[in-house]
Amino acid sequence: MKRFALFTLGLSLIAAFCVAKTPYQSVLQHSRIRGRQHGPNVCAMQQMHGTNKKYFTNCKQWYHRKICGKPTIITYECCPGYERIPGEKGCPAALPLVNIYRTLGVVDATTTQMYSERAELKAEIEGPGSFTFFAPSNKAWESLSAEILDALVSNVNIELLNALHYHMVNRRLTSDDLKHNSAYSSMYQDFNVHIHHYPNGVITVNCARLVKTDQHATNGIVHVVDRVITAITNDIHSFIDTDDNLETLRTAVAAAGLTSVLESNGEYTVFAPTNEAFEKIPHETLTRILGDPIALRDLLNYHILKNIQCSESIVAGTPLETLQGTVLEVGCDGTNMTLNGKAIVTKTDVLGTNGVIHYINELLIPDSAKTLLELVQGSPLSIATQLFVDAGLRSHLSGSEALTLLAPQNEAFKGGSMTLNSENKRLLRNHILKKQLSSKHLYDEQILETLGGLKLRVFAYRNNLCIENACIAAHDKTGRFATLFTVDKVLTPPMGTVMDVLKADNRFSILVDQIQKAGLTELLNQKGFFTVFAPTNVAFHGMSSTERNRIMGNTQQLESLLKYHIGPKLVVSGGAGSHTRLQPLHGDSLELSMKNGTLYVNKVQVTESDMMATNGVVHVVDTIVKPLPARVVSDETNVGAGQRVFRHAPRPQIIRDEDLFQKVLRSHSSRTVHHSQ
């Protein structure tokens, strides 16, 4: 029964959303479904804890029980247009269809009703016509400052009448008619009211949220809004041009040539940094950006969204595209609007004819306006950054050269840092590539040149993109002149051929002798991309004396063994996934895997990985690598030596219930099938 109920609910949800015409109707339908157990026409509402803000609910909010990161209280209220009847379940009765004036009295807009009478608007909204009234709620009037409210009601009522007329449109507009980015002439000098209908179901008029919609009347319709709205006559640049708190922004906009953009027709959201926000930036950084038209334009465009985003439309973090081309994470924390997770918005919803302004007290600097040194700040690259600076490379990190920095993560430094001797200073210099690159344009076997003059190779794998042994561990950060690649290891530049690497390490003295004996020296000195799993002296001593003597005494067997440890494709540790196969020069495939950051080959642990050579890579093993046993199981007891017996899956047994079988034979359907044949 429980499954049937869940199935029915699922079908109801699907049907509801298929029928719903608009985002608002979708959340309304969902709220109806969640509330119907409490009776007809009951909607589930989510009220943000500690506030009076209520929302119709969608699936995500319902299951998370959160809005703007804060817990919500579920309340059950009459859906728009309905009311309760004492003694009956739910909200079975439709609200009485009366004129707009009387409707205001039953939808928590009694203050608007009172001011309508005082402004001598009552006769108009009681009489004939077809109006839409965006009526401020009682709390909306209470939130007005005493100064503004006094100015409205004390000027022989004309200001109050004008204000109320601005809340009216001379036609009936239901919530379905309120399309995103639409505008309608108000009844106050035909000044437009601006509508935004967001994908999450929130509808705003001049950034005031509609909290009760579609309250029908005999002469129109009432939508209750959460604030008193005012007429809009200026574009957003006019606000920036006249506000002393935005003086630095005004200068920057002019210098970047963005004045015409902010004066043009459009739907912009500007996060306007105050003078205080600019003052928080280091003087050197601010001077550099203000003196660089490209960086300045990028910085300002990073503060401008392509669409109007009123504060009331935000109920969760949402990535929104800027004019600069990247995204800002616009969200909320309780009643505070946030940017990239920070509560830096100090004033919201200053609405112009072509957009909205939100004031912020912290400047947002995009990566595209930063130097390399600024890109690494705040990232887990503090050890590498300090090493680069201490190695005398600061001018490259803060200058205007076209470079790419390979910056190892902090975890790449064993022991917490690196001794800055002359060799390591050269190594750090080889972490800087001569061109500004993008990882999207790197390809397998590509050659890159460093400031130190070395040539580095690119290796492209299914699961990784590596430069020598260092694999890219995060998305690129593209700065004004240079790019930052975060890598998982300190770079190990190639130092000679594979044979040179083996000869230079005393751990491989036996291996080197056996390679020479098997005639493979020339192979490991020639050009190529070899992967060598190099057995140490410990590995050879770990063999039984019989096996060691047998193999070392037979040149053909020795060559086969050594070639089984050599693959013709270069695979660094970062290129091995959970199950990677490498075909060696002889024998069956080698199976590579990574477990807890350690490389294994045929289940043999690699004790040291990524010794880079000009023609390959060496991985150290302390055990001779042998083929994995065949994955077979034998049920036979008399199997000769060396024979493999594969166990096939047993055929399923057919168990027949004789009584049931006879009943089926005697059934009408069985006889029918038999005769038809």
Side-chain angles (χ1 to χ4, degrees), residues 509-542:
S509 58
I510 296 176
L511 175 61
V512 169
D513 288 343
Q514 299 309 308
I515 289 172
Q516 292 170 342
K517 184 178 177 180
L520 298 177
T521 303
E522 184 179 349
L523 173 70
L524 296 182
N525 273 324
Q526 70 185 24
K527 289 184 178 181
F529 292 91
F530 299 111
T531 297
V532 179
F533 295 96
T536 61
N537 296 342
V538 172
F540 282 102
H541 289 310

mmCIF file of all heavy atoms in Angstrom, residues 509-542:
data_model
loop_
_atom_site.group_PDB
_atom_site.id
_atom_site.type_symbol
_atom_site.label_atom_id
_atom_site.label_comp_id
_atom_site.label_asym_id
_atom_site.label_seq_id
_atom_site.Cartn_x
_atom_site.Cartn_y
_atom_site.Cartn_z
ATOM 1 N N SER A 509 72.693 -2.016 -10.040
ATOM 2 C CA SER A 509 73.946 -2.547 -10.596
ATOM 3 C C SER A 509 73.746 -3.928 -11.219
ATOM 4 O O SER A 509 74.284 -4.213 -12.304
ATOM 5 C CB SER A 509 75.027 -2.597 -9.515
ATOM 6 O OG SER A 509 74.602 -3.410 -8.417
ATOM 7 N N ILE A 510 72.974 -4.794 -10.580
ATOM 8 C CA ILE A 510 72.718 -6.125 -11.146
ATOM 9 C C ILE A 510 71.892 -5.989 -12.422
ATOM 10 O O ILE A 510 72.181 -6.628 -13.440
ATOM 11 C CB ILE A 510 72.002 -7.025 -10.123
ATOM 12 C CG1 ILE A 510 72.887 -7.269 -8.907
ATOM 13 C CG2 ILE A 510 71.593 -8.362 -10.760
ATOM 14 C CD1 ILE A 510 72.203 -8.077 -7.801
ATOM 15 N N LEU A 511 70.845 -5.133 -12.394
ATOM 16 C CA LEU A 511 69.985 -4.938 -13.560
ATOM 17 C C LEU A 511 70.800 -4.441 -14.756
ATOM 18 O O LEU A 511 70.621 -4.919 -15.891
ATOM 19 C CB LEU A 511 68.864 -3.944 -13.230
ATOM 20 C CG LEU A 511 67.942 -3.553 -14.388
ATOM 21 C CD1 LEU A 511 67.207 -4.781 -14.937
ATOM 22 C CD2 LEU A 511 66.941 -2.478 -13.940
ATOM 23 N N VAL A 512 71.712 -3.491 -14.519
ATOM 24 C CA VAL A 512 72.522 -2.951 -15.609
ATOM 25 C C VAL A 512 73.371 -4.058 -16.233
ATOM 26 O O VAL A 512 73.469 -4.176 -17.475
ATOM 27 C CB VAL A 512 73.414 -1.794 -15.098
ATOM 28 C CG1 VAL A 512 74.449 -1.408 -16.158
ATOM 29 C CG2 VAL A 512 72.562 -0.591 -14.733
ATOM 30 N N ASP A 513 73.982 -4.904 -15.394
ATOM 31 C CA ASP A 513 74.791 -6.013 -15.911
ATOM 32 C C ASP A 513 73.945 -6.953 -16.765
ATOM 33 O O ASP A 513 74.379 -7.396 -17.843
ATOM 34 C CB ASP A 513 75.404 -6.799 -14.746
ATOM 35 C CG ASP A 513 76.511 -6.027 -14.050
ATOM 36 O OD1 ASP A 513 77.019 -5.064 -14.649
ATOM 37 O OD2 ASP A 513 76.847 -6.371 -12.896
ATOM 38 N N GLN A 514 72.713 -7.252 -16.298
ATOM 39 C CA GLN A 514 71.868 -8.191 -17.023
ATOM 40 C C GLN A 514 71.354 -7.584 -18.332
ATOM 41 O O GLN A 514 71.177 -8.283 -19.326
ATOM 42 C CB GLN A 514 70.695 -8.628 -16.135
ATOM 43 C CG GLN A 514 71.102 -9.336 -14.847
ATOM 44 C CD GLN A 514 72.070 -10.466 -15.094
ATOM 45 O OE1 GLN A 514 71.814 -11.357 -15.932
ATOM 46 N NE2 GLN A 514 73.204 -10.452 -14.379
ATOM 47 N N ILE A 515 71.093 -6.262 -18.336
ATOM 48 C CA ILE A 515 70.680 -5.591 -19.581
ATOM 49 C C ILE A 515 71.792 -5.687 -20.618
ATOM 50 O O ILE A 515 71.549 -5.974 -21.805
ATOM 51 C CB ILE A 515 70.311 -4.113 -19.293
ATOM 52 C CG1 ILE A 515 68.988 -4.042 -18.520
ATOM 53 C CG2 ILE A 515 70.198 -3.320 -20.597
ATOM 54 C CD1 ILE A 515 68.635 -2.648 -18.035
ATOM 55 N N GLN A 516 73.020 -5.445 -20.184
ATOM 56 C CA GLN A 516 74.155 -5.530 -21.102
ATOM 57 C C GLN A 516 74.340 -6.967 -21.594
ATOM 58 O O GLN A 516 74.606 -7.203 -22.778
ATOM 59 C CB GLN A 516 75.417 -5.027 -20.399
ATOM 60 C CG GLN A 516 75.385 -3.530 -20.115
ATOM 61 C CD GLN A 516 76.522 -3.067 -19.214
ATOM 62 O OE1 GLN A 516 77.154 -3.887 -18.519
ATOM 63 N NE2 GLN A 516 76.786 -1.763 -19.211
ATOM 64 N N LYS A 517 74.178 -7.923 -20.686
ATOM 65 C CA LYS A 517 74.336 -9.337 -21.037
ATOM 66 C C LYS A 517 73.283 -9.768 -22.058
ATOM 67 O O LYS A 517 73.560 -10.560 -22.965
ATOM 68 C CB LYS A 517 74.246 -10.182 -19.766
ATOM 69 C CG LYS A 517 74.484 -11.672 -19.985
ATOM 70 C CD LYS A 517 74.427 -12.402 -18.647
ATOM 71 C CE LYS A 517 74.600 -13.905 -18.838
ATOM 72 N NZ LYS A 517 74.539 -14.642 -17.541
ATOM 73 N N ALA A 518 72.045 -9.230 -21.916
ATOM 74 C CA ALA A 518 70.949 -9.605 -22.814
ATOM 75 C C ALA A 518 70.962 -8.799 -24.109
ATOM 76 O O ALA A 518 70.093 -8.991 -24.973
ATOM 77 C CB ALA A 518 69.610 -9.423 -22.100
ATOM 78 N N GLY A 519 71.894 -7.865 -24.240
ATOM 79 C CA GLY A 519 71.996 -7.081 -25.462
ATOM 80 C C GLY A 519 70.918 -6.024 -25.625
ATOM 81 O O GLY A 519 70.542 -5.681 -26.757
ATOM 82 N N LEU A 520 70.434 -5.466 -24.496
ATOM 83 C CA LEU A 520 69.344 -4.470 -24.554
ATOM 84 C C LEU A 520 69.831 -3.044 -24.300
ATOM 85 O O LEU A 520 69.021 -2.118 -24.205
ATOM 86 C CB LEU A 520 68.256 -4.829 -23.532
ATOM 87 C CG LEU A 520 67.547 -6.169 -23.740
ATOM 88 C CD1 LEU A 520 66.546 -6.424 -22.609
ATOM 89 C CD2 LEU A 520 66.842 -6.203 -25.084
ATOM 90 N N THR A 521 71.152 -2.878 -24.179
ATOM 91 C CA THR A 521 71.688 -1.537 -23.881
ATOM 92 C C THR A 521 71.329 -0.535 -24.972
ATOM 93 O O THR A 521 70.878 0.586 -24.695
ATOM 94 C CB THR A 521 73.221 -1.606 -23.721
ATOM 95 O OG1 THR A 521 73.546 -2.544 -22.705
ATOM 96 C CG2 THR A 521 73.783 -0.239 -23.358
ATOM 97 N N GLU A 522 71.515 -0.925 -26.203
ATOM 98 C CA GLU A 522 71.221 -0.013 -27.314
ATOM 99 C C GLU A 522 69.750 0.377 -27.340
ATOM 100 O O GLU A 522 69.399 1.540 -27.609
ATOM 101 C CB GLU A 522 71.620 -0.678 -28.630
ATOM 102 C CG GLU A 522 71.442 0.241 -29.837
ATOM 103 C CD GLU A 522 71.867 -0.420 -31.146
ATOM 104 O OE1 GLU A 522 72.488 -1.504 -31.085
ATOM 105 O OE2 GLU A 522 71.572 0.141 -32.214
ATOM 106 N N LEU A 523 68.876 -0.607 -27.038
ATOM 107 C CA LEU A 523 67.430 -0.329 -27.012
ATOM 108 C C LEU A 523 67.101 0.780 -26.024
ATOM 109 O O LEU A 523 66.347 1.711 -26.336
ATOM 110 C CB LEU A 523 66.669 -1.597 -26.648
ATOM 111 C CG LEU A 523 65.154 -1.438 -26.419
ATOM 112 C CD1 LEU A 523 64.442 -1.140 -27.741
ATOM 113 C CD2 LEU A 523 64.560 -2.687 -25.766
ATOM 114 N N LEU A 524 67.677 0.695 -24.820
ATOM 115 C CA LEU A 524 67.337 1.654 -23.758
ATOM 116 C C LEU A 524 68.118 2.957 -23.880
ATOM 117 O O LEU A 524 67.953 3.854 -23.046
ATOM 118 C CB LEU A 524 67.561 1.013 -22.389
ATOM 119 C CG LEU A 524 66.659 -0.195 -22.100
ATOM 120 C CD1 LEU A 524 66.921 -0.744 -20.711
ATOM 121 C CD2 LEU A 524 65.183 0.173 -22.251
ATOM 122 N N ASN A 525 68.955 3.067 -24.897
ATOM 123 C CA ASN A 525 69.642 4.334 -25.174
ATOM 124 C C ASN A 525 69.042 5.066 -26.372
ATOM 125 O O ASN A 525 69.308 6.246 -26.577
ATOM 126 C CB ASN A 525 71.134 4.082 -25.441
ATOM 127 C CG ASN A 525 71.957 4.055 -24.163
ATOM 128 O OD1 ASN A 525 71.675 4.811 -23.239
ATOM 129 N ND2 ASN A 525 72.971 3.199 -24.110
ATOM 130 N N GLN A 526 68.228 4.350 -27.155
ATOM 131 C CA GLN A 526 67.688 4.968 -28.362
ATOM 132 C C GLN A 526 66.452 5.802 -28.052
ATOM 133 O O GLN A 526 65.891 5.733 -26.960
ATOM 134 C CB GLN A 526 67.350 3.885 -29.387
ATOM 135 C CG GLN A 526 66.164 3.018 -29.020
ATOM 136 C CD GLN A 526 65.949 1.874 -30.007
ATOM 137 O OE1 GLN A 526 66.871 1.436 -30.694
ATOM 138 N NE2 GLN A 526 64.724 1.387 -30.078
ATOM 139 N N LYS A 527 66.039 6.613 -29.033
ATOM 140 C CA LYS A 527 64.848 7.447 -28.847
ATOM 141 C C LYS A 527 63.623 6.575 -28.657
ATOM 142 O O LYS A 527 63.513 5.510 -29.271
ATOM 143 C CB LYS A 527 64.645 8.363 -30.054
ATOM 144 C CG LYS A 527 65.663 9.476 -30.168
ATOM 145 C CD LYS A 527 65.325 10.388 -31.343
ATOM 146 C CE LYS A 527 66.327 11.534 -31.431
ATOM 147 N NZ LYS A 527 66.009 12.455 -32.562
ATOM 148 N N GLY A 528 62.714 7.048 -27.827
ATOM 149 C CA GLY A 528 61.495 6.293 -27.609
ATOM 150 C C GLY A 528 60.722 6.838 -26.423
ATOM 151 O O GLY A 528 61.049 7.911 -25.874
ATOM 152 N N PHE A 529 59.711 6.097 -26.024
ATOM 153 C CA PHE A 529 58.876 6.469 -24.879
ATOM 154 C C PHE A 529 58.664 5.212 -24.027
ATOM 155 O O PHE A 529 57.569 4.666 -23.953
ATOM 156 C CB PHE A 529 57.535 7.043 -25.354
ATOM 157 C CG PHE A 529 57.659 8.368 -26.053
ATOM 158 C CD1 PHE A 529 57.817 8.423 -27.426
ATOM 159 C CD2 PHE A 529 57.651 9.548 -25.339
ATOM 160 C CE1 PHE A 529 57.944 9.636 -28.079
ATOM 161 C CE2 PHE A 529 57.775 10.776 -25.979
ATOM 162 C CZ PHE A 529 57.927 10.817 -27.357
ATOM 163 N N PHE A 530 59.727 4.764 -23.391
ATOM 164 C CA PHE A 530 59.687 3.511 -22.651
ATOM 165 C C PHE A 530 59.206 3.727 -21.217
ATOM 166 O O PHE A 530 59.467 4.768 -20.594
ATOM 167 C CB PHE A 530 61.083 2.868 -22.613
ATOM 168 C CG PHE A 530 61.629 2.536 -23.972
ATOM 169 C CD1 PHE A 530 62.705 3.247 -24.490
ATOM 170 C CD2 PHE A 530 61.077 1.522 -24.736
ATOM 171 C CE1 PHE A 530 63.217 2.958 -25.743
ATOM 172 C CE2 PHE A 530 61.581 1.220 -25.994
ATOM 173 C CZ PHE A 530 62.650 1.939 -26.500
ATOM 174 N N THR A 531 58.514 2.715 -20.719
ATOM 175 C CA THR A 531 58.216 2.629 -19.288
ATOM 176 C C THR A 531 58.939 1.397 -18.772
ATOM 177 O O THR A 531 58.690 0.276 -19.244
ATOM 178 C CB THR A 531 56.710 2.496 -19.032
ATOM 179 O OG1 THR A 531 56.057 3.669 -19.505
ATOM 180 C CG2 THR A 531 56.426 2.335 -17.547
ATOM 181 N N VAL A 532 59.847 1.597 -17.818
ATOM 182 C CA VAL A 532 60.659 0.502 -17.291
ATOM 183 C C VAL A 532 60.351 0.312 -15.814
ATOM 184 O O VAL A 532 60.489 1.256 -15.021
ATOM 185 C CB VAL A 532 62.166 0.790 -17.482
ATOM 186 C CG1 VAL A 532 63.002 -0.347 -16.902
ATOM 187 C CG2 VAL A 532 62.498 0.994 -18.954
ATOM 188 N N PHE A 533 59.919 -0.889 -15.473
ATOM 189 C CA PHE A 533 59.767 -1.264 -14.070
ATOM 190 C C PHE A 533 61.073 -1.931 -13.675
ATOM 191 O O PHE A 533 61.324 -3.104 -13.991
ATOM 192 C CB PHE A 533 58.564 -2.184 -13.879
ATOM 193 C CG PHE A 533 57.265 -1.492 -14.188
ATOM 194 C CD1 PHE A 533 56.678 -1.610 -15.437
ATOM 195 C CD2 PHE A 533 56.659 -0.683 -13.240
ATOM 196 C CE1 PHE A 533 55.500 -0.945 -15.734
ATOM 197 C CE2 PHE A 533 55.479 -0.011 -13.533
ATOM 198 C CZ PHE A 533 54.899 -0.148 -14.788
ATOM 199 N N ALA A 534 61.918 -1.150 -13.029
ATOM 200 C CA ALA A 534 63.311 -1.538 -12.821
ATOM 201 C C ALA A 534 63.492 -2.293 -11.512
ATOM 202 O O ALA A 534 63.384 -1.697 -10.429
ATOM 203 C CB ALA A 534 64.195 -0.289 -12.836
ATOM 204 N N PRO A 535 63.819 -3.605 -11.579
ATOM 205 C CA PRO A 535 64.071 -4.368 -10.351
ATOM 206 C C PRO A 535 65.401 -3.942 -9.722
ATOM 207 O O PRO A 535 66.429 -3.835 -10.407
ATOM 208 C CB PRO A 535 64.130 -5.824 -10.829
ATOM 209 C CG PRO A 535 63.567 -5.825 -12.218
ATOM 210 C CD PRO A 535 63.874 -4.469 -12.770
ATOM 211 N N THR A 536 65.389 -3.695 -8.448
ATOM 212 C CA THR A 536 66.603 -3.339 -7.720
ATOM 213 C C THR A 536 67.416 -4.602 -7.428
ATOM 214 O O THR A 536 66.974 -5.728 -7.674
ATOM 215 C CB THR A 536 66.250 -2.645 -6.405
ATOM 216 O OG1 THR A 536 65.476 -3.561 -5.604
ATOM 217 C CG2 THR A 536 65.451 -1.371 -6.638
ATOM 218 N N ASN A 537 68.593 -4.384 -6.876
ATOM 219 C CA ASN A 537 69.403 -5.525 -6.440
ATOM 220 C C ASN A 537 68.630 -6.373 -5.439
ATOM 221 O O ASN A 537 68.744 -7.600 -5.422
ATOM 222 C CB ASN A 537 70.712 -5.026 -5.812
ATOM 223 C CG ASN A 537 71.581 -4.292 -6.821
ATOM 224 O OD1 ASN A 537 71.387 -4.428 -8.040
ATOM 225 N ND2 ASN A 537 72.545 -3.513 -6.332
ATOM 226 N N VAL A 538 67.836 -5.709 -4.598
ATOM 227 C CA VAL A 538 67.017 -6.433 -3.616
ATOM 228 C C VAL A 538 66.071 -7.394 -4.320
ATOM 229 O O VAL A 538 65.846 -8.526 -3.865
ATOM 230 C CB VAL A 538 66.220 -5.433 -2.745
ATOM 231 C CG1 VAL A 538 65.221 -6.166 -1.846
ATOM 232 C CG2 VAL A 538 67.161 -4.586 -1.907
ATOM 233 N N ALA A 539 65.506 -6.967 -5.453
ATOM 234 C CA ALA A 539 64.577 -7.825 -6.197
ATOM 235 C C ALA A 539 65.276 -9.080 -6.719
ATOM 236 O O ALA A 539 64.731 -10.191 -6.645
ATOM 237 C CB ALA A 539 63.961 -7.043 -7.350
ATOM 238 N N PHE A 540 66.492 -8.916 -7.238
ATOM 239 C CA PHE A 540 67.209 -10.084 -7.764
ATOM 240 C C PHE A 540 67.633 -11.020 -6.637
ATOM 241 O O PHE A 540 67.580 -12.247 -6.779
ATOM 242 C CB PHE A 540 68.432 -9.624 -8.569
ATOM 243 C CG PHE A 540 68.084 -9.122 -9.938
ATOM 244 C CD1 PHE A 540 68.044 -7.760 -10.207
ATOM 245 C CD2 PHE A 540 67.780 -10.004 -10.962
ATOM 246 C CE1 PHE A 540 67.718 -7.291 -11.466
ATOM 247 C CE2 PHE A 540 67.449 -9.539 -12.239
ATOM 248 C CZ PHE A 540 67.413 -8.178 -12.488
ATOM 249 N N HIS A 541 68.030 -10.447 -5.495
ATOM 250 C CA HIS A 541 68.422 -11.287 -4.362
ATOM 251 C C HIS A 541 67.211 -12.007 -3.767
ATOM 252 O O HIS A 541 67.369 -13.039 -3.100
ATOM 253 C CB HIS A 541 69.105 -10.448 -3.285
ATOM 254 C CG HIS A 541 70.473 -9.974 -3.674
ATOM 255 N ND1 HIS A 541 71.450 -10.804 -4.186
ATOM 256 C CD2 HIS A 541 71.042 -8.726 -3.625
ATOM 257 C CE1 HIS A 541 72.548 -10.117 -4.450
ATOM 258 N NE2 HIS A 541 72.329 -8.833 -4.120
ATOM 259 N N GLY A 542 66.020 -11.475 -4.034
ATOM 260 C CA GLY A 542 64.806 -12.106 -3.522
ATOM 261 C C GLY A 542 64.397 -13.346 -4.297
ATOM 262 O O GLY A 542 63.516 -14.104 -3.857
#
